[in-house]
Amino acid sequence: MPTPVEKAIWFIESHFAGNITLDDVAKVCDLSRFQMSRLFSYATGNSVTGYLRGRRLTEAARALASDAPDILAVAIDAGYGSHEAFSRAFRDQFGQTPAEIRGRGHLDGLALVEPLREDPKVSVRLPPPRVEASGPLLIAGIGRRFACDDFAGIPAVWQEFTPYLGAIPGRKSTATYGLVTGAGAGDTYFYLAGVEVHDFAELDGVLTGIRLPAQRWAIFRQDDHITTISATIHAIFSTALPEAGLTPGDMPDLIERYGEDFDPVTGAGGFEIRVPVI
């Protein structure tokens, strides 16, 4: 099972754009403020509030280096109510002002606070999958390309996508999907957080649509916390698929499916991993 620190990291990475506090992190982990602070500091070398502040300011720095047009809008997104408070915190964190970072257009030399890995080192044993033929499947959402060994940034994609959930035209169900594809493209993969839709006709320029053909799927259910997802995927490809006599297909590499039971606040409720099979 995941530790409280692993749960805390997942929660922060999934919610740092919102108005979360040490109390919120402690509550999700069923600990007191003191217990949460001690455990997190011991495990990571940083305080909960320091890590949370650093992650917010790091993402703000990325936006500024990409020539964000309005520094105040970036400040508000980072949880600051004024340009002055944001600039002071930004300068304390990085030694430069927001305007200086926006002006130079790159992050070289900044001590960025990158996401910590929250994957628990657990052994997962899965029952045989159910196999279904379905499709085609149309997924619309927001995606980002990552290095093949980078999984810590995925929760931030969900944060970026969540505000669009209520306004996607043609949505078919309440389930959400994480689609992984292109793992062999230059040592990178593409991750899309999205929902199933009827068609892509009314999507705006922000959202990406991916159409998957009709095919057979091996479907694995995992009832543990979301932080076990990497261990679950490892178990699927290393043991569960071979034991079931199944060979993975080509596209996509896999799909995560989150149904009504999944709680995006706590990470509990379970999920499914779907792998195309021949």
Side-chain angles (χ1 to χ4, degrees), residues 4-81:
V5 171
E6 289 158 348
K7 287 184 179 181
I9 293 170
W10 176 84
F11 180 76
I12 292 170
E13 287 303 316
S14 300
H15 300 85
F16 65 73
N19 186 28
I20 63 171
T21 65
L22 172 59
D23 287 328
D24 297 322
V25 178
K27 182 178 180 180
V28 166
C29 299
D30 294 320
L31 295 172
S32 70
R33 287 167 53 94
F34 173 77
Q35 293 165 338
M36 187 73 260
S37 296
R38 288 294 298 271
L39 282 175
F40 194 92
S41 296
Y42 180 80
T44 70
N46 199 353
S47 68
V48 172
T49 54
Y51 179 67
L52 178 57
R53 179 176 59 252
R55 289 293 296 123
R56 285 171 170 162
L57 291 171
T58 292
E59 295 306 312
R62 285 200 169 94
L64 292 166
S66 299
D67 198 27
D70 187 346
I71 292 179
L72 181 57
V74 174
I76 292 172
D77 287 344
Y80 293 87

Side-chain angles (χ1 to χ4, degrees), residues 122-129 220-224 228 231-236 238-244:
V122 296
S123 177
V124 172
R125 185 73 180 177
L126 295 168
F220 297 87
R221 173 72 189 179
Q222 173 60 273
D223 292 317
D224 289 335
T228 62
T232 299
I233 292 170
H234 175 76
I236 287 171
S238 63
T239 58
L241 279 176
E243 288 176 357

Side-chain angles (χ1 to χ4, degrees), residues 88-139:
R88 183 167 55 251
F90 195 94
R91 187 171 55 250
D92 289 345
Q93 184 78 29
F94 299 121
Q96 297 188 50
T97 67
E100 288 170 337
I101 296 301
R102 188 175 66 170
R104 72 179 194 171
H106 64 80
L107 300 173
D108 296 350
L110 292 191
L112 302 176
V113 179
E114 300 291 4
L116 296 170
R117 290 290 297 272
E118 79 282 352
D119 308 323
K121 301 300 184 287
V122 296
S123 177
V124 172
R125 185 73 180 177
L126 295 168
R130 72 180 193 272
V131 178
E132 296 180 0
S134 63
L137 183 65
L138 280 67
I139 304 295

